[in-house]
Amino acid sequence: MRVYLSELFKKIAIRPLLIPAFVLCFLSFIYCSYTMNRNVGLEVGHTVATITVTDVTKKVNGKNFYIGLMSKERLSIVTDEELFPGDTVYADGIVEEIHGPVNPGEFDYREYLKKKGILAQFRINEIYEVDESLFGRYITKIRYFLRDEIYSIVSTSVSEIDTSYLAAFCLGDSSLMDDIVSRNFRVVNCSHILAVSGSHFSAFILILPFIFQIFNLSGKKSGLIFIIAILVIGFMTGWTESVTRAAIMSVCSIFLRDSLSGMSF
């Protein structure tokens, strides 16, 4: 037993990131178990409340989706007003339960939000006051300005249908796709292809070695550029769960490369 533990500690010493990796997996399991089995903690009905906006998703088709905190409960925010991460909103509205799909094959938005720990939505009737977050507004505007510029350049070069596919595959935004096409992807259980996942992230990164060869970059410089590129890709795709996971694993793979291997920096 003592020999076995000694060998185990030696392996951990060689790969110290194994410990935080196991801890993160364990905490993720606890978090998922908690969010999937709890009930709505907010009272459904009309209310006047203060909400802190935590996440903003702006689609290419112009629709905006907001997530915020009300009384320490996460919920979806429905409003026509433009909000940004970090904004504190004092508003009049209605707390509602999120309904599931009406027709077979439709996107189950309720189940999607449930996996994120969101079980209710707040439909705003009137906003009384907004305490703006300058940092959140600045970062969000930069991100979506760059995205819209890239989209406008691409849309002038390819057809409308190809643009909708590129927006889905590269930006994780399927709002421009035809409803029938989106439904067909869901029916065959391939809807994950329309969102930026780990496979898409890996495809982006695979381009970098060819760029390094063209400019004859190697060693620590290429490693630094690699990490910066990962951060840029994550920033442009909105740091979704799959992108964040792929980014962390990619950075870890850089630091864990064997110094004697041909892939070392």
Side-chain angles (χ1 to χ4, degrees), residues 2-229:
R2 184 176 299 177
V3 176
Y4 176 77
L5 292 176
S6 177
E7 290 296 327
L8 179 63
F9 287 133
K10 287 181 180 179
K11 291 181 179 180
I12 294 176
I14 296 174
R15 295 290 184 268
L17 288 178
L18 285 174
I19 295 178
F22 280 120
V23 172
L24 287 174
C25 290
F26 180 71
L27 294 177
S28 298
F29 174 76
I30 295 176
Y31 174 77
C32 291
S33 300
Y34 169 73
T35 55
M36 294 293 289
N37 295 292
R38 67 188 183 88
N39 298 319
V40 180
L42 298 171
E43 184 178 352
V44 176
H46 179 269
T47 185
V48 177
T50 300
I51 310 169
T52 301
V53 181
T54 58
D55 184 62
V56 175
T57 302
K58 296 179 179 291
K59 297 294 185 179
V60 179
N61 64 355
K63 293 183 178 180
N64 300 334
F65 296 90
Y66 305 104
I67 294 175
L69 285 175
M70 178 194 295
S71 302
K72 299 182 180 181
E73 290 284 342
R74 299 186 72 199
L75 76 171
S76 174
I77 304 172
V78 182
T79 179
D80 294 329
E81 300 293 331
E82 186 176 27
L83 302 174
F84 294 89
D87 287 355
T88 301
V89 183
Y90 181 63
D92 173 273
I94 301 174
V95 178
E96 304 172 332
E97 292 187 2
I98 302 172
H99 300 289
V102 178
N103 300 316
E106 285 187 346
F107 176 67
D108 194 341
Y109 188 60
R110 179 179 61 182
E111 189 65 24
Y112 169 77
L113 291 179
K114 184 179 178 181
K115 293 179 180 179
K116 295 178 176 290
I118 301 171
L119 303 176
Q121 66 181 16
F122 183 67
R123 189 176 299 276
I124 294 179
N125 295 328
E126 182 181 358
I127 294 179
Y128 298 129
E129 184 180 356
V130 178
D131 185 9
E132 299 179 354
S133 171
L134 297 180
F135 179 76
R137 287 174 176 263
Y138 183 72
I139 295 297
T140 304
K141 285 182 178 180
I142 289 178
R143 176 195 165 194
Y144 288 109
F145 171 78
L146 294 175
R147 185 204 65 179
D148 293 340
E149 287 296 313
I150 295 173
Y151 170 75
S152 62
I153 294 173
V154 173
S155 61
T156 57
S157 305
V158 298
S159 64
E160 183 177 350
I161 297 177
D162 292 336
T163 302
S164 64
Y165 280 103
L166 288 173
F169 296 151
C170 299
L171 299 175
D173 190 336
S174 59
S175 60
L176 296 177
M177 297 196 67
D178 186 76
D179 292 338
I180 297 178
V181 176
S182 299
R183 182 182 181 277
N184 291 336
F185 271 93
R186 288 194 295 271
V187 169
V188 297
N189 291 325
C190 290
S191 56
H192 61 278
I193 298 177
L194 301 180
V196 179
S197 60
S199 58
H200 297 77
F201 192 87
S202 301
F204 297 148
I205 294 177
L206 285 175
I207 303 174
L208 296 178
F210 297 100
I211 298 176
F212 295 157
Q213 290 180 0
I214 294 174
F215 293 97
N216 195 24
L217 294 175
S218 61
K220 296 182 179 180
K221 291 183 179 179
S222 61
L224 180 61
I225 296 175
F226 195 90
I227 294 175
I228 293 175

